[in-house]
Amino acid sequence: MLREQQIFNVQDVEMAIIEANGYLSVKQYPEKEAARAEHILPQPNAYSKGMDVPIVIDGEIYEKVLYSRNLNESWLYEE
């Protein structure tokens, strides 16, 4: 499945997820990704490290994730 996404070395993969629809989503290490415009042009307020993690799933607040991002429930309710 990696080859279908032009990835030929598993060591280039930072994270891979098999989605509910059966497709594979892959995040390569930044130094292994193909260059894109956002790599060259400045991106204000861009968070480019890691992967987005949901804070609320099925109505349940995942406090560990919230606090790991230095956020709190007050911030969440304001958003």
Side-chain angles (χ1 to χ4, degrees):
M1 292 178 84
L2 289 174
R3 290 188 309 241
E4 292 172 353
Q5 296 189 27
Q6 303 301 312
I7 300 171
F8 299 98
N9 187 346
V10 73
Q11 294 176 337
D12 295 346
V13 176
E14 182 176 12
M15 181 177 290
I17 298 172
I18 297 179
E19 304 289 352
N21 61 7
Y23 288 104
L24 180 68
S25 294
V26 178
K27 165 97 173 72
Q28 289 181 279
Y29 287 105
E31 62 271 11
K32 298 295 183 175
E33 291 179 341
R36 299 188 310 256
E38 58 263 23
H39 292 144
I40 299 167
L41 302 172
Q43 298 290 315
N45 301 323
Y47 181 77
S48 62
K49 294 183 180 177
M51 183 171 204
D52 290 338
V53 179
I55 295 173
V56 178
I57 300 176
D58 293 330
E60 183 180 339
I61 298 172
Y62 284 78
E63 293 177 358
K64 239 180 165 177
V65 175
L66 189 65
Y67 298 133
S68 73
R69 305 282 194 259
N70 294 319
L71 303 171
N72 57 38
E73 289 185 32
S74 298
W75 171 85
L76 180 62
Y77 289 117
E78 286 177 25
E79 288 296 309

